[in-house]
């Protein structure tokens, strides 16, 4: 694989943030596998944690060398996100090692947003001070529900009370930006149960809330329960009622909905996830990590042992240090070029997930092509349906459009990618 830095032609025309990156570090360990989960995460493999962290540190250093800017300076990094899996299974020393390595490999902003995902059932409260001292300044807690029966049904390893205790411990440790993840449209979840969950979440005064509609993913225990009729999915109308209730309740409580699934108090939007929605560059490292960088998408090997072996081999192959263009692939197993047409469609689709929508001026400057000349034909059959609105040079979904966002997104893709 040869990774070239993005070109800086017409730099004054381009969004300067396009030349920066966000860094995602995947921690694939979990105490138990939740019944609905299809993430690249593994229970019972914590014994590999030391080796894994060492490999991840090596991969960060390799990626930092590959991603140097055109003057071979470390590339600017604005956000770091420890996702999983369960990153709260790392020790504070391991978090510190990974962050120190990232700071050496990249030019990490002094005020970078650094998020760590935490499972309330796998978070040692007495270690939170030490985690905060590493520079982690945002916690994202997988609460999912405050209903004890639903938590058990999902295979979660914590109770509602443990969510509250973990949250308060994180506040005491000085975390001033905390997200709670919640899931709605769970089988057996009534509107009333959902409302109670929202109230218990709001009582904690989180800075950010992510609300996800349950998706039945193939290969999960939940999928087979649904397949054989043991579990019935929540119907679309009930799911929409839960979502619309949440929109009203969170809006009334002072949270701004800035993305289809995300709400924040002022000043607490997730900068890392905004990188994805604005289709800017990110480098995703660790088992199964994927990157969007210099017009390409790279995906790492998913199994933990395979990942570790590939990084080790890659490090051996890179000694003595190679030239930029011939540096090894780390643990990359898929390397795809993203055509300009597909990238434009993805930028439009992701941007329309945001309440602000997409800036038509920024879009034209980025691609040297206007939005409407590119997409008018593809959107022709829905233009009269009042799904999109243009306000002061920004294009966004209308309230009606948000209900059928996938219909709009599908039309934006080039015909071969639909
Ligand atoms: S804790 Fe998160 S990553 Fe781990 S199994 Fe559950 S949902 Fe998946």
């Amino acid at each position: 694989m040869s990774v070239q830095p993005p070109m800086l032609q017409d730099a004054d025309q381009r969004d300067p943030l396009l030349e920066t990156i966000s860094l995602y570090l995947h921690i694939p360990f979990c105490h138990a596998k939740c019944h609905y989960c299809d993430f690249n995460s593994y229970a019972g493999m914590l014994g590999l944690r030391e080796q894994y962290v060492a490999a991840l540190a090596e991969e960060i250093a390799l990626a930092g060398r590959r991603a140097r800017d055109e003057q071979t300076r470390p590339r600017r990094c604005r956000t770091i996100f420890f996702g999983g899996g369960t990153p709260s299974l790392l020790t504070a020393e391991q978090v510190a090692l990974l962050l120190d390595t990232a700071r050496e490999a990249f030019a990490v902003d002094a005020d970078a947003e650094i998020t760590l995902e935490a499972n309330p059932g796998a978070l040692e409260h007495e270690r939170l001070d030490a985690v905060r001292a590493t520079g982690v300044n945002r916690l994202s807690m997988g609460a999912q529900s405050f209903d004890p029966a639903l938590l058990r049904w999902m295979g979660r390893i914590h109770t509602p009370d443990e969510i509250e205790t973990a949250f308060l411990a994180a506040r005491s440790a000085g975390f001033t930006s905390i997200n709670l993840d919640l899931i709605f449209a769970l089988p057996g979840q009534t509107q009333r149960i959902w409302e109670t969950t929202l109230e218990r979440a709001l009582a904690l005064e989180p800075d950010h809330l992510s609300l996800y509609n349950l998706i039945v993913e193939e290969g999960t225990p939940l999928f087979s329960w649904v397949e054989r009729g043991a579990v019935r999915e929540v119907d679309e109308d009930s799911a929409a009622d839960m979502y619309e209730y949440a929109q009203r309740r969170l809006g009334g409580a002072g949270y701004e909905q800035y993305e289809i699934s995300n709400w924040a108090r002022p000043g607490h939007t997730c900068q890392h996830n905004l990188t994805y929605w604005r289709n800017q560059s990110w480098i995703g490292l660790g088992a199964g990590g994927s990157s969007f960088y210099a017009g390409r998408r790279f995906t790492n090997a998913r199994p933990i042992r395979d990942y570790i072996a590939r990084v080790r081999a890659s490090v051996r192959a890179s000694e003595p240090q190679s030239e930029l263009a011939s540096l090894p692939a780390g643990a990359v197993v898929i390397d795809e070029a993203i055509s300009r047409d597909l990238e434009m469609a993805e930028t439009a689709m992701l941007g329309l997930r945001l309440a602000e929508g997409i800036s038509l001026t920024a879009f034209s400057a980025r691609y040297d092509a206007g939005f409407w000349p590119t997409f008018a034909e593809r959107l022709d059959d829905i233009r009269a349906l009042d799904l999109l609105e243009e306000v002061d040079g920004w294009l966004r979904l209308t309230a009606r459009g948000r209900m059928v966002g996938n219909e709009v997104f599908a039309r934006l893709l080039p015909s071969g990618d639909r």
Side-chain angles (χ1 to χ4, degrees):
M1 177 190 67
S2 153
V3 180
Q4 300 297 336
M7 298 303 289
L8 283 181
Q9 292 155 350
D10 302 326
D12 53 343
Q13 297 272 316
R14 292 169 60 95
D15 176 351
L17 294 184
L18 288 172
E19 313 302 339
T20 69
I21 59 118
S22 280
L23 186 61
Y24 173 85
L25 304 176
H26 190 71
I27 310 300
F29 305 102
C30 287
H31 274 322
K33 191 81 183 168
C34 302
H35 301 145
Y36 58 88
C37 176
D38 79 333
F39 298 144
N40 190 39
S41 64
Y42 304 87
M45 299 192 78
L46 212 49
L48 291 173
R49 186 175 54 170
E50 283 289 325
Q51 294 174 49
Y52 182 82
V53 169
L56 183 51
E58 296 279 15
E59 198 196 10
I60 294 169
L62 281 172
R65 294 210 290 277
R66 292 207 308 264
R68 286 185 169 236
D69 71 11
E70 70 289 352
Q71 272 117 37
T72 69
R73 293 173 307 202
R75 189 160 294 276
R76 181 179 160 202
C77 169
R78 294 176 296 108
T79 69
I80 301 177
F81 194 103
F82 289 86
T86 308
S88 57
L89 286 173
L90 294 180
T91 65
E93 292 71 28
Q94 289 169 330
V95 173
L97 169 76
L98 295 171
L99 285 180
D100 287 347
T101 310
R103 290 186 187 107
E104 273 170 35
F106 295 92
V108 179
D109 285 355
D111 61 350
E113 177 193 89
I114 304 179
T115 305
L116 183 117
E117 285 187 336
N119 184 320
L123 185 65
E124 290 184 31
H125 302 175
E126 53 283 3
R127 285 208 203 139
L128 277 164
D129 284 328
V131 171
R132 180 77 190 87
T134 64
V136 172
N137 51 27
R138 185 172 183 271
L139 278 192
S140 179
M141 278 193 194
Q144 315 312 0
S145 175
F146 281 84
D147 184 79
L150 281 177
L151 286 172
R152 279 194 301 277
W153 179 85
M154 284 188 269
R156 301 291 302 179
I157 59 167
H158 55 84
T159 62
D161 290 350
E162 282 167 339
I163 302 170
E164 288 168 350
T165 322
F167 188 97
L168 297 175
R171 278 284 194 239
S172 303
F175 284 97
T176 54
S177 200
I178 307 180
N179 168 61
L180 291 179
D181 283 346
L182 298 173
I183 303 178
F184 65 96
L186 291 159
Q189 184 182 39
T190 60
Q191 177 73 21
R192 195 189 165 111
I193 292 175
W194 173 233
E195 290 177 16
T196 305
T197 276
L198 281 179
E199 292 314 314
R200 284 188 72 173
L202 286 173
L204 292 170
E205 302 185 354
D207 308 286
H208 189 283
L209 282 152
S210 299
L211 310 186
Y212 298 111
N213 191 335
L214 180 73
I215 296 178
V216 179
E217 302 282 4
E218 228 175 309
T220 60
L222 176 59
F223 185 85
S224 54
W225 298 342
V226 170
E227 280 278 278
R228 61 169 201 264
V231 164
R232 213 174 51 212
E233 289 185 77
V234 169
D235 64 85
E236 276 182 23
D237 286 347
S238 304
D241 286 347
M242 290 185 201
Y243 181 71
E244 283 167 3
Y245 174 82
Q247 285 182 307
R248 291 193 301 275
R249 181 68 185 94
L250 300 190
Y255 291 83
E256 186 194 348
Q257 183 176 13
Y258 69 102
E259 196 269 346
I260 286 178
S261 305
N262 287 277
W263 284 257
R265 287 173 144 179
H268 288 280
T269 51
C270 178
Q271 298 304 305
H272 184 85
N273 286 343
L274 281 168
T275 300
Y276 301 138
W277 296 316
R278 291 177 177 153
N279 212 17
Q280 294 159 342
S281 303
W282 77 85
I283 294 181
L285 305 177
S290 84
S291 307
F292 172 58
Y293 185 77
R296 303 188 80 81
R297 182 156 296 131
F298 306 104
T299 309
N300 277 353
R302 287 169 65 90
I304 296 176
R305 285 196 177 84
D306 188 13
Y307 166 79
I308 294 172
R310 283 173 186 273
V311 173
R312 284 180 179 162
S314 200
V315 169
R316 280 197 301 275
S318 72
E319 295 164 351
Q321 189 173 322
S322 323
E323 289 299 307
L324 249 186
S326 59
L327 275 172
V332 171
V333 290
I334 304 172
D335 171 2
E336 307 160 272
I338 303 296
S339 70
R340 180 168 170 279
D341 204 12
L342 180 57
E343 185 185 322
M344 288 167 85
E346 289 181 345
T347 299
M349 286 165 60
L350 291 161
L352 286 173
R353 292 186 61 90
L354 293 169
E356 67 182 18
I358 50 177
S359 156
L360 297 177
T361 315
F363 189 92
S364 301
R366 180 168 174 178
Y367 296 108
D368 204 16
F371 179 90
W372 285 115
T374 309
F375 294 111
E377 204 176 305
R378 291 180 209 169
L379 294 173
D380 201 30
D381 61 331
I382 57 162
R383 276 188 88 167
L385 298 181
D386 186 29
L387 304 178
L388 289 164
E389 64 183 2
E390 204 175 310
V391 181
D392 297 334
W394 288 76
L395 184 75
R396 56 185 176 231
L397 292 174
T398 59
R400 192 164 173 214
R402 280 197 290 276
M403 302 304 289
V404 290
N406 289 339
E407 293 290 318
V408 180
F409 302 153
R411 283 172 171 75
L412 292 166
L413 286 168
S415 50
D417 292 291
R418 276 179 215 166

